[in-house]
Amino acid sequence: MAVAGRWMLWTLAVHLHTLQGDALTVNMRESNLEVLRGDAVTLPCSFFTSDPVSQLNVIWTVVPFSSTETPTQVIVYDHGQVMEDPSFIGRVGFAGIPWSADIVLNETRGSDAGVYRCMVNNPPETTEMGIGELTLSVLSPPSLPVCQWDGPITEGGSVTLSCSVDEGIPTPEIEWDKLSPEEIPLPVNMDGDMSGSAQILNVSSQTSGLYRCSASNALGTEHCYVNLSIYRTPDSPSGILQGVLLTLSMSLLLLALLLLITWLHRTGQDGRTRVRDEEGDETRYKPSLMKRSFV
Ligand SMILES: *[C@@H]1O[C@H](CO)[C@@H](O)[C@H](O)[C@H]1NC(C)=O
Ligand SMILES: *[C@@H]1O[C@H](CO)[C@@H](O)[C@H](O)[C@H]1NC(C)=O
Ligand SMILES: *[C@@H]1O[C@H](CO)[C@@H](O)[C@H](O)[C@H]1NC(C)=O
């Protein structure tokens, strides 16, 4: 009971303090920021205090996405002195101290992405430190993807085309296309976020050609290529023979068709001349006329 009572008293004190208006409050103005890698960005942090800022103390920390461990200090303002973390030296600075705790980050790197925290303290206003947080994303176009292929490039085999990209935020989308003789998109299996493969089953000579992988996000597209040449398996010379035979039979068939057409054409013409010659006996020649119109 005694503990609960004390806790209530404490909350009351805090509330009173807030009502009095001399508690320090922090406003980040943004909760998510995006910057293109290499560009500068302002991380906003406004604070409100009713006391003079002669002993203002500001600490910015970051927990990078790449190592979600302990926060590291980015930059500190203490009694008019500024200290920067070695990894940010020359790239970070306050942009309005002591009126605001905004910082400017120049030449942003991929490793700068993370959760930033702005902590403001203004002694003798000792009750509470004002704290605000924001998330910084550093965007980058896709890096050059790497194309590879695997599998036997002989007829009947199956070949896997794979494509992987190292960088790119937002995560690049991976596509495979066959470029020649016409552009055809291929279905892609994603192997994780940053690599995708396309499988070509039952390879044949039609499979030969240029294949392109595209890695793209909102900031750009990069390509890599694979040029596949499919070799006939040397132990099947019958393939050539089959081809020759096929061509030969096709020619024979065409020839037969041509002969048939010529014959039908001729009989049809005969029919018409005969119809003209022997008027009144049309019914007899109707079948040949019908055949002709069919051809
Ligand atoms: C950031 O870049 C701007 C413009 O080039 C420059 O004026 C400013 O001093 C730079 N800030 C820091 C901390 O290097
Ligand atoms: C592979 O393709 C050839 C012709 O390109 C076809 O004759 C054969 O049946 C196919 N095999 C399979 C397993 O699909
Ligand atoms: C692909 O390879 C074939 C045969 O090796 C070659 O003739 C062709 O020029 C190549 N195409 C490209 C775009 O490299």
Side-chain angles (χ1 to χ4, degrees):
M1 279 301 277
V3 175
R6 203 179 297 165
W7 185 79
M8 269 174 71
L9 252 174
W10 184 79
T11 2
L12 199 68
V14 169
H15 279 207
L16 276 175
H17 199 80
T18 320
L19 283 174
Q20 279 167 11
D22 57 359
L24 191 143
T25 56
V26 158
N27 175 11
M28 297 304 273
R29 316 205 299 274
E30 301 269 5
S31 55
N32 282 291
L33 278 177
E34 290 182 342
V35 63
L36 186 60
R37 189 181 55 198
D39 283 1
V41 62
T42 298
L43 307 187
C45 177
S46 310
F47 61 88
F48 304 96
T49 177
S50 51
D51 287 357
V53 288
S54 53
Q55 296 193 61
L56 185 70
N57 173 264
V58 177
I59 302 170
W60 274 92
T61 62
V62 63
V63 178
F65 291 148
S66 45
S67 70
T68 51
E69 286 165 25
T70 51
T72 55
Q73 285 192 352
V74 176
I75 189 167
V76 174
Y77 178 88
D78 192 30
H79 293 88
Q81 287 218 309
V82 175
M83 284 155 285
E84 302 151 41
D85 180 82
S87 66
F88 288 95
I89 274 183
R91 298 197 297 131
V92 69
F94 282 101
I97 209 86
W99 316 117
S100 92
D102 293 6
I103 55 171
V104 173
L105 194 53
N106 279 347
E107 296 155 44
T108 48
R109 303 169 183 171
S111 56
D112 295 342
V115 177
Y116 285 77
R117 184 176 273 203
C118 169
M119 291 175 280
V120 184
N121 198 9
N122 190 32
E125 193 178 37
T126 47
T127 44
E128 270 179 292
M129 183 182 258
I131 298 178
E133 250 183 25
L134 65 79
T135 300
L136 177 70
S137 306
V138 180
L139 309 183
S140 56
S143 55
L144 202 65
V146 176
C147 280
Q148 278 175 317
W149 62 268
D150 190 29
I153 46 165
T154 47
E155 283 192 328
S158 80
V159 172
T160 302
L161 304 173
S162 57
C163 176
S164 64
V165 60
D166 278 342
E167 284 177 23
I169 296 170
T171 306
E173 195 174 318
I174 291 181
E175 283 167 23
W176 271 105
D177 294 288
K178 186 176 197 290
L179 291 186
S180 53
E182 52 187 324
E183 203 170 316
I184 310 167
L186 305 175
V188 175
N189 296 313
M190 291 306 293
D191 319 311
D193 274 353
M194 304 291 263
S195 72
S197 60
Q199 209 168 22
I200 307 166
L201 299 171
N202 196 13
V203 163
S204 69
S205 55
Q206 277 93 39
T207 314
S208 295
L210 195 62
Y211 292 79
R212 179 185 66 193
C213 166
S214 313
S216 48
N217 67 13
L219 299 170
T221 302
E222 293 286 348
H223 301 291
C224 59
Y225 300 87
V226 167
N227 188 4
L228 277 190
S229 303
I230 308 301
Y231 301 104
R232 278 170 182 277
T233 35
D235 61 356
S236 70
S238 61
I240 297 165
L241 193 65
Q242 272 170 12
V244 169
L245 280 176
L246 195 70
T247 321
L248 210 66
S249 46
M250 284 297 284
S251 321
L252 280 174
L253 199 72
L254 268 175
L255 197 69
L257 206 67
L258 202 70
L259 284 173
L260 188 71
I261 290 166
T262 325
W263 179 75
L264 285 175
H265 195 68
R266 200 166 286 170
T267 44
Q269 268 183 355
D270 285 358
R272 205 194 292 169
T273 41
R274 259 184 238 165
V275 169
R276 242 184 247 142
D277 290 347
E278 306 164 30
E279 299 266 344
D281 203 7
E282 277 173 58
T283 44
R284 218 181 108 200
Y285 295 96
K286 260 196 181 143
S288 72
L289 271 171
M290 275 168 72
K291 251 186 218 162
R292 191 179 154 264
S293 58
F294 170 75
V295 169

